[in-house]
């Protein structure tokens, strides 16, 4: 439920060097004047401005978290009804999840086509980026879902929850590895407090099954990997995965393929299609309806998850998942009379305290940090740079000053000079005898804007 200014985005050599942030001010216009005009009057945000901004984004993030809770709960109830022998009795969860991944691909493609101005992006991952960033994220997603479902056939739900809660540790580890989070002893301590609370919260006497334990632990590793890789892919703007529909569009085919392979091996599609669910045309149509309906709910759930990751990051997303589990256990005890031992109640209290400490930690880092605002009060973030880092504000001010120098030099160029000559003069380094690296950065920023404008003009002309 928080906007996370404390995480450090990984630098990508192929990332378009423009000022941007998915939930903040994003400068994406084609005109070079926009870059210059939007980088004037940069000032340091006051504590009141940072508090106001944090709470505004906390409310937006809370909306996506509640949306995620809603669709995740609906999907869980529906799946329990669908897989239960006492109800619909369709006992092929891997096959169902593979179908859901295909449905997510179709729906994301429809969104990109129907709302092209909002969601469609002509940038796409290269073959190299797709193979090293998208495919691992998609396959780890399929393995996580597949092994999690399979493990529930051999272990109890409480033991599964105890083991799967370790995914929070793996999320933190991969976040440090991919530089999605800044290393902090305080952060590690808070995560360990939450992890301890989860273990106590679901502690019960249960039989230990080695095969189920190994499956769910490997699924936990894949869970931490999938979310971190997904955030890395979404942050690389050159890949065109910087909004949830595009992310689903590129990830879901490989996820579906990996689930299809696991489903064929473990469930056997001969067993699936030889059931009465596919015996006649009528039963097949009914089964397809039963598969499509939860597939649409799964799409909305995944969209919410990706919006949370885009706005807050993988670690807050995982903490939100823990909060969901705490809410479920508390509501079950309150309304349905589920018994909680003193150990379980202690675990709930510790987990809630850990979540509160995590939220306060993110809040205090935002309020105590130096955040640069433009003339309109929008937070400025450079790609690959943490807006709350010590040097971010100074860097933004320096770029603003140097942009002003470029603006003054441009005003002295005669208007009758042709475009190529004007651009050569504009990007000349004569005015930057000192600080050549910063001058080169200004030219890189300006050049990327002009090149993007040229490409857009050519596209419009071709249309």
């Amino acid at each position: 439920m928080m906007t996370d200014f404390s995480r450090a985005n990984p630098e990508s050599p192929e990332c378009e060097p423009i000022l941007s942030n998915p939930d903040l001010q994003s400068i994406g216009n084609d005109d070079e004047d926009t870059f210059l005009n939007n980088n004037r009057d940069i000032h340091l945000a006051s504590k009141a401005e940072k508090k106001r901004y944090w709470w505004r984004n906390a409310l937006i993030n809370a909306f996506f978290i509640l949306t995620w809770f809603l669709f995740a709960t609906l999907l869980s109830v529906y799946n329990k009804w669908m897989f239960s022998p006492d109800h619909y009795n369709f006992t092929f969860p891997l096959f169902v999840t593979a179908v859901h991944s295909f449905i997510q691909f179709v729906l994301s493609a429809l969104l990109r086509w129907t709302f092209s101005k909002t969601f469609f992006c002509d940038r796409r991952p290269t073959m190299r980026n797709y193979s090293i960033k998208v495919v691992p994220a998609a396959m780890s997603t399929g393995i996580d879902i597949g092994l999690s479902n399979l493990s529930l056939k051999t272990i109890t739900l409480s033991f599964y929850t105890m083991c799967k809660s370790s995914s929070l540790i793996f999320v933190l580890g991969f976040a440090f590895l991919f530089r999605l989070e800044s290393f902090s002893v305080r952060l590690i301590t808070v995560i360990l407090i939450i992890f301890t609370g989860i273990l106590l919260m679901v502690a019960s006497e249960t039989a230990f099954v080695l095969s189920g334990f190994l499956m769910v632990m490997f699924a936990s590793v894949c869970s931490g990997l999938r979310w971190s890789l997904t955030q890395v892919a979404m942050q690389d703007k050159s890949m065109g995965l910087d909004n949830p529909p595009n992310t689903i569009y590129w990830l879901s085919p490989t996820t579906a393929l990996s689930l299809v392979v696991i489903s064929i091996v473990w469930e056997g599609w001969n067993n699936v299609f030889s059931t009465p669910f596919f015996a006649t045309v009528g039963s097949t149509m009914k089964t397809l309806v039963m598969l499509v309906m939860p597939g649409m709910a799964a799409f909305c759930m995944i969209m919410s998850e990706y919006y949370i990751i885009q706005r807050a990051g993988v670690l807050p997303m995982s903490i939100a998942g823990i909060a969901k589990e705490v809410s479920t256990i508390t509501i079950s005890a309150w309304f349905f009379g589920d018994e909680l031992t003193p150990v379980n109640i202690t675990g709930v209290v510790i987990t809630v305290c850990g979540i509160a400490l995590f939220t306060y930690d993110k809040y205090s880092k935002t309020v105590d940090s130096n955040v640069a605002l433009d003339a309109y009060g929008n937070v400025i973030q450079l790609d690959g740079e943490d807006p709350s880092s010590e040097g971010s504000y100074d860097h933004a001010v320096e770029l603003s000053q140097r942009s002003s120098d470029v603006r003054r030099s441009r005003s002295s160029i005669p208007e009758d000079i042709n475009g190529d000559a004007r651009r050569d003069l504009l990007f000349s380094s004569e005015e930057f005898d000192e600080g050549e690296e910063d001058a080169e950065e200004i030219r890189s920023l300006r050049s990327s804007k002009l090149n993007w404008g040229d490409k857009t003009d050519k596209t419009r002309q071709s249309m």
Side-chain angles (χ1 to χ4, degrees):
M1 297 175 60
M2 65 295 294
T3 297
D4 187 358
F5 287 122
S6 61
R7 56 192 173 89
N9 298 334
E11 297 181 359
S12 171
E14 299 179 18
C15 191
E16 189 177 6
I18 61 175
L19 292 172
S20 63
N21 189 310
D23 60 340
L24 310 175
Q25 171 72 6
S26 179
I27 303 174
N29 298 326
D30 302 330
D31 190 357
E32 64 179 68
D33 292 321
T34 303
F35 172 78
L36 295 175
N37 294 331
N38 286 352
N39 284 283
R40 291 185 291 185
D41 302 325
I42 293 177
H43 67 282
L44 186 64
S46 66
K47 181 167 289 189
E49 286 176 315
K50 287 182 286 188
K51 287 182 178 179
R52 183 168 58 251
Y53 187 84
W54 190 92
W55 281 108
R56 184 186 71 183
N57 283 278
L59 291 176
I60 297 174
N61 293 341
F63 167 77
F64 286 115
I65 291 174
L66 291 176
T67 303
W68 174 47
F69 281 10
L70 172 64
F71 287 107
T73 302
L74 289 175
L75 190 61
S76 298
V77 173
Y78 190 95
N79 286 343
K80 186 175 182 179
W81 173 84
M82 190 173 191
F83 301 145
S84 174
D86 298 329
H87 296 91
Y88 198 67
N89 195 28
F90 191 89
T91 57
F92 304 100
L94 297 178
F95 174 82
V96 171
T97 311
V99 173
H100 289 177
S101 296
F102 175 74
I103 293 173
Q104 291 167 26
F105 170 75
V106 173
L107 292 177
S108 63
L110 287 175
L111 268 183
R112 281 162 49 92
W113 179 71
T114 306
F115 303 97
S116 57
K117 292 184 178 180
T118 303
F119 297 119
F120 183 81
C121 181
D122 57 359
R123 288 166 291 167
R124 59 181 60 199
T126 63
M127 185 61 67
R128 179 177 181 274
N129 278 338
Y130 193 86
S131 59
I132 66 176
K133 292 183 179 181
V134 177
V135 171
M139 292 188 65
S140 59
T141 299
I143 295 173
D144 174 26
I145 297 172
L147 291 182
S148 296
N149 288 330
L150 289 173
S151 65
L152 286 172
K153 292 186 176 182
T154 59
I155 59 178
T156 62
L157 181 60
S158 59
F159 186 62
Y160 166 83
T161 306
M162 290 176 62
C163 296
K164 196 63 187 292
S165 63
S166 63
S167 62
L168 184 61
I169 305 297
F170 295 114
V171 166
L172 182 63
F174 284 116
F176 287 154
L177 179 63
F178 295 117
R179 294 189 294 172
L180 303 174
E181 289 285 344
S182 300
F183 183 83
S184 169
V185 175
R186 182 169 59 177
L187 180 59
I188 295 176
T189 302
V190 171
I191 296 303
L192 290 177
I193 290 174
I194 296 175
F195 177 64
T196 302
I198 296 170
L199 293 180
L200 296 176
M201 186 173 62
V202 298
S204 63
E205 295 183 5
T206 183
F208 178 83
V209 180
L210 180 60
S211 59
F213 171 78
L214 293 177
M215 282 191 289
V216 72
M217 289 305 296
F218 190 68
S220 299
V221 175
C222 291
S223 178
L225 180 62
R226 67 179 278 208
W227 293 123
S228 297
L229 289 176
T230 300
Q231 183 175 340
V232 169
M234 294 182 74
Q235 287 179 342
D236 191 344
K237 299 184 185 303
S238 67
M239 294 174 58
L241 277 70
D242 49 354
N243 67 63
N246 284 335
T247 305
I248 296 174
Y249 178 81
W250 290 107
L251 262 66
S252 54
T254 305
T255 301
L257 180 61
S258 61
L259 284 168
V260 164
V261 173
I262 299 176
S263 175
I264 291 175
V265 173
W266 287 91
E267 295 175 335
W269 279 20
N270 289 333
N271 298 328
V272 175
F273 291 105
S274 62
T275 60
F277 298 103
F278 297 97
T280 64
V281 175
S283 61
T284 300
M285 295 301 296
K286 180 182 178 181
T287 302
L288 289 177
V289 172
M290 294 298 179
L291 292 173
V292 170
M293 289 174 59
M296 297 174 66
F299 174 75
C300 296
M301 181 188 72
I302 296 295
M303 283 275 288
S304 302
E305 290 176 344
Y306 286 169
Y307 270 116
I308 297 171
I309 291 176
Q310 184 185 50
R311 297 181 57 85
V314 290
L315 197 55
M317 167 71 192
S318 300
I319 299 297
I322 300 301
K324 175 178 175 293
E325 296 297 331
V326 172
S327 302
T328 302
I329 292 175
T330 304
I331 292 173
S332 298
W334 191 291
F335 291 101
F336 301 108
D338 291 357
E339 293 187 8
L340 295 178
T341 65
V343 174
N344 300 142
I345 296 175
T346 302
V348 171
V349 173
I350 292 175
T351 304
V352 171
C353 291
I355 294 173
L357 287 173
F358 177 82
T359 305
Y360 178 76
D361 177 63
K362 296 299 180 184
Y363 173 79
S364 62
K365 285 182 178 179
T366 300
V367 173
D368 296 337
S369 62
N370 290 332
V371 179
L373 301 180
D374 64 13
Y376 305 101
N378 299 307
V379 176
I380 296 177
Q381 178 180 351
L382 295 173
D383 285 342
E385 185 169 298
D386 182 3
S388 62
S389 62
E390 295 181 359
S392 179
Y393 172 72
D394 295 335
H395 194 187
V397 172
E398 184 176 359
L399 287 180
S400 177
Q401 294 171 346
R402 293 188 178 277
S403 295
S404 299
D405 294 338
V406 174
R407 190 185 299 107
R408 286 193 297 270
S409 66
R410 187 185 66 173
S411 63
S412 63
I413 300 175
E415 294 294 336
D416 57 351
I417 295 181
N418 63 50
D420 293 337
R422 183 178 178 85
R423 187 172 302 179
D424 290 340
L425 287 173
L426 188 60
F427 294 137
S428 64
S429 60
E430 294 175 357
E431 300 198 19
F432 299 101
D433 295 333
E434 296 180 0
E436 182 63 27
E437 292 182 0
D438 293 329
E440 184 63 30
E441 183 171 7
I442 288 289
R443 289 194 294 272
S444 175
L445 287 166
R446 300 284 313 281
S447 178
S448 68
K449 303 300 294 179
L450 293 176
N451 290 339
W452 179 254
D454 293 341
K455 293 178 181 177
T456 305
D457 292 339
K458 292 179 180 179
T459 302
R460 290 172 178 170
Q461 292 173 2
S462 63
M463 297 174 61

